[in-house]
Amino acid sequence: MSESIRLGLIGENIAYSRSPDIFQAIFSVTGRSGEFKIYSVLQADLPHTIETLRTLPLDGLAVTVPFKRTVISLLDELDAVSTLLQAVNCIRFDGSFTRGFNTDVDGFAAGLQPLRAKVTGCRALILGAGGAASAAIYSLIHEFGVREIVVAARPGRNLDLLTNQFAAYPDVAFNTFTLDSLESGDYATCGLIVNCTPLGGWHFPEICPLPASFIWPSDAVYYDMNYNDNGIGVQIAREAGLIAIDGSSMLVAQAIRSYEIWTGVQSPFEPVYEACFGRSSR
């Protein structure tokens, strides 16, 4: 690897991303020099862009929506977790050879860690059925002992694919619904609700991922994987008396894990988080 680290993020309409700030903070606390570029491209331009990036002196590329699944066919190799989940958010470049990883699973677990005692073994409601949902479910199974999962998504949003991915876990009970068919009896006993959709995020801060008829379970935790704390889902959950957290800790933790994959260097979490979000994560 070159002395100066060259990293980037690829996605669509991602000018808002905080990733450059996060990686500059990581460079600072680890004493390394480097650059981090944003590659905001259209879906149709993804294959050409990946091939172009292979020719650059690039060490690592983060991947965000909507490319976490579609980028897979453009890579040379996947690790075991990203193979299972069929979702990649981290690409390591060894020359022109590309290997995909999923560090969202690490980031998700880190974000939920302060509430481990409350959510371990609970029943979980997952909103969405894309790559982010796959990572959340994997973390809940492996890190928090969750064995009952309800998945609700818009029609045609990979519900069957998601169920098939986790068929290797026969001890985990899955129930899938479309959001418009979800009834209170399906989720009333859920102790954790996870929003894995972009609704409530930077592009859709005023659109709640849940239907207006949704009845918030009492004493539950709401975890929004979007990292803007002013998202409407977080606001409504707090008004309903729930503990509600956004995805800012997840964002930093997955970046730190990706950095370790790219460089072999571990970065401390808290100084990076404070540098980027101006507050402690706890």
Side-chain angles (χ1 to χ4, degrees), residues 10 46 50 63 67-75 88 91:
I10 192 165
L46 180 63
I50 294 295
V63 183
F67 301 145
K68 291 184 182 183
R69 294 201 193 279
T70 53
V71 77
I72 287 175
S73 64
L74 306 175
L75 304 180
V88 163
I91 302 171

Side-chain angles (χ1 to χ4, degrees):
M1 178 178 295
S2 59
E3 183 178 350
S4 181
I5 306 159
R6 296 177 176 87
L7 307 173
L9 170 71
I10 192 165
E12 189 173 273
N13 298 323
I14 53 172
Y16 64 87
S17 175
R18 297 295 303 276
S19 290
D21 296 335
I22 291 172
F23 280 97
Q24 287 302 322
I26 293 174
F27 294 151
S28 178
V29 301
T30 59
R32 306 290 292 271
S33 64
E35 62 179 9
F36 190 96
K37 292 185 177 181
I38 292 288
Y39 300 95
S40 189
V41 303
L42 299 175
Q43 179 75 60
D45 297 327
L46 180 63
H48 174 72
T49 303
I50 294 295
E51 286 307 304
T52 299
L53 292 177
R54 287 177 184 267
T55 68
L56 302 180
L58 189 65
D59 298 306
L61 185 68
V63 183
T64 190
V65 292
F67 301 145
K68 291 184 182 183
R69 294 201 193 279
T70 53
V71 77
I72 287 175
S73 64
L74 306 175
L75 304 180
D76 298 309
E77 187 174 276
L78 303 181
D79 77 334
V81 176
S82 56
T83 298
L84 171 67
L85 302 184
Q86 285 297 289
V88 163
N89 74 305
C90 168
I91 302 171
R92 187 175 70 200
F93 286 74
D94 296 310
S96 64
F97 187 87
T98 54
R99 190 175 192 215
F101 300 81
N102 190 302
T103 66
D104 279 338
V105 297
D106 306 277
F108 180 89
L112 199 56
Q113 185 64 33
L115 296 167
R116 171 175 288 277
K118 187 173 180 63
V119 302
T120 294
C122 75
R123 190 167 184 252
L125 170 62
I126 304 296
L127 307 176
S134 295
I137 292 170
Y138 184 92
S139 285
L140 289 174
I141 292 172
H142 285 268
E143 298 293 332
F144 298 94
V146 171
R147 291 296 179 267
E148 290 187 68
I149 296 173
V150 178
V151 181
R154 287 178 289 171
R157 292 289 176 168
N158 299 319
L159 281 171
D160 290 339
L161 173 62
L162 196 67
T163 302
N164 291 336
Q165 283 176 342
F166 291 97
Y169 298 87
D171 60 330
V172 179
F174 280 89
N175 290 288
T176 60
F177 302 88
T178 57
L179 275 169
D180 56 5
S181 68
L182 190 65
E183 298 181 358
S184 60
D186 303 322
Y187 60 80
T189 59
C190 289
L192 174 66
I193 302 161
V194 185
N195 178 27
C196 307
T197 80
L199 300 182
W202 286 99
H203 290 307
F204 312 99
E206 299 302 321
I207 302 178
C208 185
L210 288 158
S213 60
F214 187 79
I215 301 171
W216 293 92
S218 60
D219 197 36
V221 171
Y222 179 72
Y223 187 173
D224 198 312
M225 292 173 73
N226 297 297
Y227 57 87
N228 52 319
D229 190 53
N230 65 338
I232 192 169
V234 172
Q235 294 180 34
I236 294 175
R238 289 174 178 163
E239 290 169 1
L242 278 70
I243 297 172
I245 59 175
D246 65 26
S248 56
S249 289
M250 175 180 174
L251 181 69
V252 172
Q254 63 83 23
I256 286 174
R257 175 60 184 136
S258 294
Y259 184 77
E260 182 180 7
I261 289 171
W262 295 327
T263 68
V265 176
Q266 289 184 318
S267 167
F269 173 87
E270 203 62 38
V272 175
Y273 187 91
E274 290 182 359
C276 296
F277 291 96
R279 54 186 166 89
S280 170
S281 66
R282 305 293 180 247

